[in-house]
């Protein structure tokens, strides 16, 4: 993008300077590419098994100790040694083949509604 801008700018600058503007644009473009490559190597996307560890799931069939959980709309077989009922949130701790090992998760704290107007219009 920087190179494109400097090429356009080079048309509006007198002779000796347009060459310098163009060379400067080439150097900036090379620097931008090197910076982008270093940034891309540093931030690897998490996919597969390691991405699921720590995710929250919802129990679909009772896990005592074997059951089914829903993770991002997908159903997975799960094992929960502590046990979990339908609708309980669980956290994925590890995977054993295609079986998720889960533990009961703490429920999200209830939002404070004090001071908010949660009543439909005209019902107060």
């Amino acid at each position: 993008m920087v190179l494109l801008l400097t090429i356009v700018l080079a048309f509006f600058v007198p002779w000796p300077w347009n060459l310098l503007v163009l060379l400067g644009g080439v150097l900036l473009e090379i620097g931008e590419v090197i910076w982008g490559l270093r940034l891309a190597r540093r931030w690897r996307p998490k996919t597969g098994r390691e991405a699921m560890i720590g995710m929250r799931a919802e129990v679909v069939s009772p896990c005592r100790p074997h059951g089914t959980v829903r993770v991002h709309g997908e159903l997975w077989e799960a094992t929960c040694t502590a046990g979990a009922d339908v609708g309980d949130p669980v956290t994925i701790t590890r995977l054993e083949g295609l079986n998720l090992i889960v533990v009961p998760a703490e429920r999200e704290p209830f939002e404070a509604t004090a001071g908010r107007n949660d009543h439909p219009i005209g019902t107060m």
Side-chain angles (χ1 to χ4, degrees), residues 24-87:
V26 168
L27 290 176
L28 285 173
E29 186 68 27
I30 291 171
E32 184 179 5
V33 168
I34 291 171
W35 174 74
L37 289 173
R38 292 183 72 200
L39 194 64
R41 277 191 218 115
R42 191 177 334 151
W43 291 338
R44 293 277 180 205
K46 282 190 172 181
T47 58
R49 299 171 61 100
E50 59 272 0
M52 293 188 76
I53 306 298
M55 280 187 162
R56 292 177 63 102
E58 180 183 351
V59 177
V60 176
S61 67
C63 289
R64 299 199 181 272
H66 302 287
T68 308
V69 297
R70 184 183 316 272
V71 182
H72 290 297
E74 300 173 347
L75 295 176
W76 287 78
E77 294 296 319
T79 302
C80 183
T81 55
D85 293 320
V86 175

Side-chain angles (χ1 to χ4, degrees), residues 109-114 116:
F110 185 70
E111 288 185 350
T113 58
R116 284 196 356 209

Side-chain angles (χ1 to χ4, degrees), residues 10 13-25:
V13 179
W15 156 239
W17 297 106
N18 62 359
L19 186 61
L20 291 175
V21 167
L22 192 59
L23 288 176

